[in-house]
Amino acid sequence: MGSAIRRLIPAGSLVLGMVIMGGTPAAADGSVQQTLINQDRAASALAPLSWSTCLAGIALQNAQRIAAQGYLSHTNGPTLDLGCGANATSAGENIAYMSDGANDTEANTLFMNSAPHRANILGAYTYVGTAWVVTSNGYGYIAEEFLNAPSLVPAYDRLSASMTSAPAATSWGSGRLDVFARGQDMALYHTWNDGSWHYWDRIPASMTSAPAAVSSGTGRLDVFARGQDMALYHTSSSDSGSTWVYWARIPANMMSAPAVASLGGGRLDVFAVGQDRALYHTWSTDGGVSWVYWQRLGGSLTSDPAAVSSQSGHIDVFARGADMALERISTTDSGTTWSAWQRMSANLASSPAVSSWGGGRLDVFALGQDMAVYHTFTNDGATWTYWQRVNGAMNSAPAAASQAAGSVDLFVRGRDLALYHLGLSG
């Protein structure tokens, strides 16, 4: 193999939560390395591996990491890989470097001559993503990510925008989605989908936070945001967003963006973090005409809150705590009494988002430390699934809305400040 320096480290395997080491990505339509891997598999009478842009993104992330540090090591690549597939069961990765750049043939030979790395290439996987990084000294760093899953998590749709806040989303019925965000001029912008996405409408405002949105009935939209004076401001539409009432000021001294939930019939419950980092709650029973004085619910919060009603009288509120874990407080009697704060294990890099399609179902989303969206859910309000990596690297807290039982629509701002949308089911 000549005089070039080549190094790899043994790969393990990740099956049902245990680890296999490796990888990095390439082009969206595949890579030379993928072709070589599939030639190796064909020679062993094995099915080819399909390309995954999600795995490729994780591979690139790992290739960049090992190139920056100048030596080989594994972190959580296979764990991240599992989030790329629906009902994924196992994942693995191979990594290596060589002094003569991105030489696919030599890298493939190196991997195939190593039993643990060859085991990944010929393993029981269905998808692959690979990537090279070549540094200024000519060294090439490669990562390969492998995944066994019946199908991939769907890719995001990109919706043109230039957002200066996280989005907010709501739905007043099947087939209808309404999304809001703050624009470059600090005004509120609104887009909606009723079969196709509409161009953004501008609603005059001077917002200092992300918006919060909810629907309490067919065609009804209520939006809240923090103003320049740290007070809460409210606007609404009763004709699906065709016309909007002038912003009404609700006295407050908020440290965060607001969150809002509706129990229906003109009931609006708004939450915000106060100057003491505790959660505060106000509500209206007449569609926002009159409001009760803010109620303090305690906590020591480090993010904007998120709120939802999953059934009559129930409201659940989530926020990030001081230790970056997810915190939850809830009521079953329309806010008369509240539970103690419940800590849910996590290491969040953003505010959470929550959605419900009813009957105790709660879907919670947040950015992880790798800036990808993670998802956990419960069907009974008590037992939660392990966090699953949804996809992508984003730069805002997510938003979520359900337009029908069994479906959740996820929204997040991308690194290019555009809006990204992903429909999830199940």
Side-chain angles (χ1 to χ4, degrees), residues 184-386:
Q184 298 290 329
D185 59 355
M186 312 305 277
L188 179 68
Y189 286 79
H190 169 222
T191 184
W192 67 98
N193 187 302
D194 53 9
S196 61
W197 288 100
H198 293 255
Y199 192 76
W200 292 88
D201 282 341
R202 182 182 186 274
I203 303 165
S206 185
M207 302 160 51
T208 61
S209 78
V214 73
S215 176
S216 59
T218 302
R220 173 76 185 200
L221 297 167
D222 288 88
V223 182
F224 298 83
R226 185 182 63 186
Q228 298 282 344
D229 58 355
M230 302 300 168
L232 178 67
Y233 286 79
H234 170 221
T235 186
S236 63
S237 172
S238 58
D239 56 10
S240 304
S242 296
T243 57
W244 293 87
V245 302
Y246 191 75
W247 290 92
R249 183 183 185 274
I250 303 162
N253 188 16
M254 301 159 53
M255 278 285 288
S256 74
V260 60
S262 177
L263 295 168
R267 170 80 183 224
L268 298 168
D269 287 80
V270 178
F271 304 85
V273 178
Q275 298 294 325
D276 59 354
R277 295 292 180 186
L279 183 70
Y280 287 79
H281 169 220
T282 184
W283 67 94
S284 171
T285 58
D286 54 14
V289 176
S290 59
W291 294 86
V292 302
Y293 191 75
W294 289 92
Q295 172 191 25
R296 187 180 188 274
L297 299 179
S300 180
L301 308 179
T302 60
S303 79
D304 301 334
V308 72
S309 174
S310 62
Q311 53 192 312
S312 179
H314 287 239
I315 302 174
D316 288 272
V317 185
F318 298 84
R320 186 180 62 184
D323 60 354
M324 303 301 160
L326 182 66
E327 301 279 347
R328 174 196 181 193
I329 192 170
S330 60
T331 179
T332 59
D333 56 11
S334 302
T336 302
T337 58
W338 290 85
S339 69
W341 284 94
Q342 173 193 4
R343 182 185 184 275
M344 300 171 59
S345 181
N347 188 15
L348 307 183
S350 78
S351 305
V354 61
S355 178
S356 175
W357 66 60
R361 171 76 181 213
L362 298 169
D363 289 85
V364 176
F365 303 86
L367 296 189
Q369 295 299 319
D370 61 352
M371 303 308 287
V373 178
Y374 286 78
H375 171 220
T376 184
F377 66 90
T378 177
N379 286 310
D380 58 10
T383 305
W384 292 84
T385 64
Y386 189 78

Side-chain angles (χ1 to χ4, degrees), residues 111-202:
F111 286 136
M112 286 297 288
N113 285 338
S114 165
H117 296 85
R118 184 173 64 251
N120 274 341
I121 290 174
L122 303 181
Y125 297 117
T126 50
Y127 294 96
V128 69
T130 76
W132 279 99
V133 169
V134 178
T135 56
S136 58
N137 64 2
Y139 275 59
Y141 296 81
I142 185 174
E144 302 174 338
E145 305 292 333
F146 301 88
L147 178 68
N148 185 26
S151 62
L152 295 176
V153 172
Y156 287 95
D157 298 322
R158 182 185 184 275
L159 307 176
S160 181
S162 185
M163 301 159 52
T164 61
S165 78
T170 190
S171 172
W172 52 253
S174 180
R176 174 77 184 209
L177 291 166
D178 289 83
V179 180
F180 303 85
R182 186 181 62 185
Q184 298 290 329
D185 59 355
M186 312 305 277
L188 179 68
Y189 286 79
H190 169 222
T191 184
W192 67 98
N193 187 302
D194 53 9
S196 61
W197 288 100
H198 293 255
Y199 192 76
W200 292 88
D201 282 341
R202 182 182 186 274

Side-chain angles (χ1 to χ4, degrees), residues 22 53 60 70 74 79 90 104 168 192 205 256 326 330 359 364 386 397 399 409:
T53 55
L60 182 57
H74 293 291
T79 301
S90 60
D104 282 294
W192 67 98
S256 74
L326 182 66
S330 60
V364 176
Y386 189 78
D409 287 270

